[in-house]
């Protein structure tokens, strides 16, 4: 019988009662294993934020092992099982991977990539044709050695015009090498040209998310600019060094460019916010809200995160102690990027320039099939890798909670609207980090109060369909990467 999550109030532990026969019946017709489905259900029953809203995840859903086994074999494909049986209808962001190693590498900024980061558009008479535009090039990648740069457009791959039916296979398929067929744009008209660029994906490409760090002296005002493209905790020291540089430069105003940052580590967002605002560890950064069962078990101390005065490596944080920050945003600014905006809002003025953010306010955990399931079951950590079931390489990345700021606000599923709206212009994307790049120029104008010298009219606004980052295993996920002081024992 499945009787999960029996709470013993007053004790910070959670006992999960299972009979010794709980793992019987995990084979489908013909002997096909459904151990992946078994792992998915058990993990989601414990941790999923909407566990109480999914009837098939109810603690009393099954009265016998036979009934449970029949449920597991109802979907032969684990992906279909996750999507059709376990996912809540309003959940936009939980996902899975058939290779946990690929997923966890991506958490560290490691991926199979040619280093070209781009956005995709629908166009044509029926909005089924697709073209791409180059956002930026990752350093030390194959693309960084080729004749291709920000602002260039492409309409085809290997001589085939891109459309809704083929773009996934052509751009994100197993082909290690492909050739982009480039195009020009003028007055909103896209015209293929004769240029082509061959690109090759590299295994294990590491992207440093601290992309640009600069200071400007404009009429005596010291303005800092930081373009940060992913909350990757392996680069927290690099991020802190960047703020050290800005601090040494005497920066009094900061433009934080998160326009292409889809999120990542919650803790890295806390460190970044501390570098912007304060290292006062008495100030609440965020509070977590889990599903009702887990919320009762965690203490208030466990649920609350504070601003930090040191990095995870023990380095003193370089903080600018600002009372105002300018954040550049687009629809690609998501999860941990939005968390920074929300967490800073009660303390300082956050001026958003660009377009509305993605609207992702939930955090997730990486779950793998750990047969021992000691401590906090199913949660992936590198130290537990040897315990992962060698016959099950699947991982799931379910949403397990929401973050509230210090005044309890969390409802930004529609995204944060800009205070100063300015869409990127396909015909004038500019050079990232240059004072004349439109979004940065608009921020500088707001900081200095010197206006009227620039026309910010947009000829061909960016209306994004999707982007290259959305096809990485981590996509726009916000990952809770703090120790959980909770003992979950299977009895």
């Amino acid at each position: 019988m499945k009787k999960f999550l029996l709470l013993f109030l007053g004790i910070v532990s959670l006992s999960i009662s299972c009979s010794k026969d709980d793992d019987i019946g995990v084979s489908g017709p013909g002997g096909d294993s459904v151990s992946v489905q078994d792992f998915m259900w058990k993990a989601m029953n414990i941790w999923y934020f909407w566990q109480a809203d999914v009837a098939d995840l109810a603690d009393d859903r099954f009265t016998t092992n036979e009934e449970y086994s029949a449920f597991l074999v109802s979907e032969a494909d684990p992906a279909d099982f996750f999507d059709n049986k376990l996912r809540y209808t309003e959940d936009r962001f939980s996902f899975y991977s058939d290779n946990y190693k690929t997923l966890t590498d991506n958490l560290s900024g490691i991926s199979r990539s040619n280093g070209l980061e781009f956005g995709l558009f629908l166009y044509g008479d029926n909005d089924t044709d697709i073209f791409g535009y180059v956002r930026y090039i990752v350093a030390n990648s194959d693309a960084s050695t080729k004749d291709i740069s920000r602002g260039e457009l492409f309409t085809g791959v290997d001589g085939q015009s891109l459309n809704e039916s083929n773009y996934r296979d052509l751009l994100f398929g197993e082909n290690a090498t492909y050739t982009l067929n480039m195009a020009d744009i003028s007055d909103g008209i896209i015209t293929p040209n004769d240029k082509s660029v061959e690109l090759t994906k590299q295994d294990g490409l590491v992207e440093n998310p601290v992309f640009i760090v600069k200071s400007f002296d404009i009429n005596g005002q010291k303005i800092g600019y930081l373009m940060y493209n992913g909350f990757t905790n392996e680069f927290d020291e690099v991020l802190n060094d960047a703020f050290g540089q800005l601090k040494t430069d005497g920066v009094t105003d900061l433009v934080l460019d998160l326009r292409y940052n889809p999120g990542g580590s919650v803790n890295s967002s806390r460190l970044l916010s501390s570098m912007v605002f304060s290292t006062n560890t008495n100030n609440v950064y965020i509070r977590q809200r889990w599903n009702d069962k887990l919320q009762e078990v965690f203490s208030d101390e466990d649920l609350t995160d504070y601003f930090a005065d040191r990095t995870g490596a023990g380095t003193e944080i370089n903080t600018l102690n600002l009372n105002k920050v300018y954040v550049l945003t687009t629809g690609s600014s998501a999860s941990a990027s939005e968390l920074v905006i929300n967490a800073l809002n009660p303390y300082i003025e956050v001026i958003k320039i660009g377009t509305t953010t993605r609207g992702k306010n939930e955090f997730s955990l990486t779950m793998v099939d750990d047969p021992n399931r000691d401590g906090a079951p199913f949660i992936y950590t590198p130290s537990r890798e040897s315990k992962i079931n060698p016959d099950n390489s699947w991982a799931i990345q379910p949403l397990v909670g929401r973050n509230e700021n210090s005044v309890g606000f969390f409802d930004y599923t529609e995204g944060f609207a800009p205070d100063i709206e300015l869409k990127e212009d396909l015909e004038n994307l500019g050079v990232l980090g240059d004072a004349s790049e439109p979004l940065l120029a608009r921020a500088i104008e707001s900081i200095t109060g010197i206006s009227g010298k620039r026309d910010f009219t947009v000829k061909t606004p960016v209306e994004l369909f999707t982007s290259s980052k959305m096809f990485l295993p981590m996509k726009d996920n916000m990952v809770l990467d703090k120790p959980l002081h909770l003992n979950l024992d299977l009895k």
Side-chain angles (χ1 to χ4, degrees):
M1 179 183 292
K2 302 290 187 231
K3 293 289 186 182
F4 281 78
L5 291 166
L6 305 176
L7 298 181
F8 295 88
L9 300 180
I11 304 174
V12 185
S13 65
L14 200 76
S15 291
I16 303 173
S17 178
C18 302
S19 77
K20 66 181 180 180
D21 295 326
D22 264 351
D23 291 325
I24 67 167
V26 291
S27 293
D32 295 331
S33 174
V34 286
S35 60
V36 177
Q37 289 89 327
D38 179 55
F39 142 67
M40 285 179 170
W41 189 91
K42 289 175 179 174
M44 294 283 276
N45 170 264
I46 298 171
W47 296 104
Y48 195 38
F49 185 62
W50 292 285
Q51 184 264 344
D53 298 299
V54 179
D56 282 331
L57 286 174
D59 297 341
D60 58 357
R61 169 66 175 83
F62 308 104
T63 57
T64 66
N65 282 307
E66 290 73 21
E67 187 180 355
Y68 178 61
S69 296
F71 174 73
L72 296 182
V73 302
S74 64
E75 295 278 4
D77 185 343
D80 292 338
F81 181 75
F82 186 89
D83 286 333
N84 299 335
K85 298 298 175 66
L86 307 182
R87 185 201 295 271
Y88 182 50
T89 53
E90 295 181 16
D91 179 358
R92 299 177 292 161
F93 299 108
S94 293
F95 65 97
Y96 45 79
S97 173
D98 62 2
N99 188 327
Y100 78 87
K101 185 64 176 171
T102 301
L103 176 60
T104 55
D105 277 352
N106 195 225
L107 278 168
S108 304
I110 303 170
S111 65
R112 181 176 183 260
S113 171
N114 54 36
L116 187 75
E117 295 298 339
F118 54 86
L120 295 177
F121 276 68
L122 293 171
Y123 78 114
D125 293 338
N126 298 312
D127 279 341
T128 56
D129 294 326
I130 284 177
F131 73 88
Y133 78 100
V134 179
R135 288 177 154 184
Y136 68 94
I137 307 293
V138 176
N140 303 314
S141 66
D142 181 66
S144 70
T145 68
K146 302 297 175 61
D147 178 21
I148 190 168
S149 59
R150 172 173 169 79
E152 290 194 84
L153 274 61
F154 56 90
T155 56
V157 173
D158 295 331
Q160 298 184 62
S161 295
L162 288 167
N163 57 50
E164 274 194 289
S165 300
N166 65 18
Y167 81 95
R168 290 173 180 265
D169 289 336
L170 293 175
L171 290 169
F172 306 107
E174 293 302 314
N175 48 328
T177 298
Y178 58 66
T179 298
L180 293 180
N181 310 122
M182 310 303 290
D184 298 318
I185 185 169
S186 178
D187 294 327
I189 305 300
I190 300 167
T191 307
N193 58 34
D194 294 329
K195 182 177 178 179
S196 61
V197 181
E198 184 180 90
L199 298 171
T200 299
K201 299 172 187 175
Q202 304 165 234
D203 288 323
L205 179 66
V206 179
E207 178 180 353
N208 179 353
V210 183
F211 192 64
I212 302 172
V213 188
K214 292 184 73 171
S215 298
F216 303 92
D217 189 333
I218 299 176
N219 296 333
Q221 285 188 259
K222 293 284 189 178
I223 301 172
Y225 172 78
L226 171 67
M227 186 169 201
Y228 185 56
N229 290 335
F231 290 81
T232 312
N233 56 23
E234 282 78 6
F235 289 88
D236 287 344
E237 295 299 315
V238 178
L239 180 63
N240 195 41
D241 289 343
F243 273 84
Q245 176 185 324
L246 296 173
K247 193 173 181 180
T248 299
D249 291 344
V251 163
T252 57
D253 297 277
L254 176 66
V255 180
L256 180 60
D257 193 342
L258 302 178
R259 75 182 81 182
Y260 303 141
N261 190 322
S265 162
V266 169
N267 190 58
S268 293
S269 80
R270 181 176 71 106
L271 298 181
L272 172 61
S273 297
S274 302
M275 295 168 196
V276 171
F277 164 57
S278 171
T279 55
N280 185 340
T281 57
N282 292 317
N283 287 330
V284 171
Y285 180 58
I286 53 168
R287 291 187 178 91
Q288 303 155 24
R289 176 155 297 280
W290 300 74
N291 66 39
D292 290 342
K293 294 186 301 187
L294 291 177
Q295 192 75 15
E296 292 184 31
V297 177
F298 285 113
S299 68
D300 185 65
E301 181 180 356
D302 292 322
L303 296 171
T304 306
D305 287 330
Y306 298 85
F307 283 82
D309 59 0
R310 294 187 178 275
T311 67
T315 308
E316 185 175 343
I317 282 179
N318 296 309
T319 183
L320 298 179
N321 292 122
L322 299 176
N323 57 24
K324 181 187 295 184
V325 65
Y326 297 79
V327 184
L328 306 185
T329 65
T330 67
S332 294
S333 308
S335 64
S337 289
E338 294 168 300
L339 182 58
V340 167
I341 294 170
N342 193 44
L344 287 177
N345 265 332
Y347 296 101
I348 67 176
E349 188 176 3
V350 181
I351 300 173
K352 303 170 293 296
I353 300 174
T355 54
T356 301
T357 63
R358 180 94 159 101
K360 185 177 187 299
N361 62 350
E362 302 96 352
F363 60 85
S364 69
L365 289 167
T366 304
M367 307 257 165
V368 293
D369 188 5
D370 173 1
N372 297 304
R373 297 196 274 276
D374 56 335
F378 303 111
I379 297 176
Y380 172 85
T381 62
S383 63
R384 297 173 68 177
E385 193 155 340
S386 62
K387 298 180 180 180
I388 295 174
N389 181 356
D391 297 322
N392 180 10
S393 63
W394 282 73
I396 58 175
Q397 195 76 29
L399 299 181
V400 296
R402 284 179 173 158
N403 288 309
E404 305 172 349
N405 66 15
S406 61
V407 296
F409 181 74
F410 64 87
D411 188 12
Y412 50 91
T413 54
E414 299 300 317
F416 286 106
D419 300 292
I420 301 172
E421 185 171 20
L422 180 61
K423 294 184 177 182
E424 288 195 297
D425 188 345
L426 280 175
E427 299 191 45
N428 181 28
L429 282 171
V431 177
L432 292 171
D434 190 285
S436 65
E437 186 274 314
L439 265 64
L440 176 54
R442 185 64 184 85
I444 291 173
E445 181 181 284
S446 183
I447 292 168
T448 61
I450 302 172
S451 60
K453 291 190 174 182
R454 170 99 182 238
D455 181 6
F456 288 101
T457 301
V458 177
K459 291 180 64 176
T460 307
V462 168
E463 302 288 353
L464 195 68
F465 167 55
T466 188
S467 73
S468 48
K469 284 188 181 291
M470 291 301 99
F471 289 84
L472 291 174
M474 272 304 298
K475 304 178 183 177
D476 51 2
N477 218 51
M478 178 162 55
V479 180
L480 187 67
D481 52 348
K482 63 176 285 185
L484 295 175
H485 302 110
L486 183 67
N487 184 30
L488 301 174
D489 293 321
L490 277 163
K491 300 261 179 158

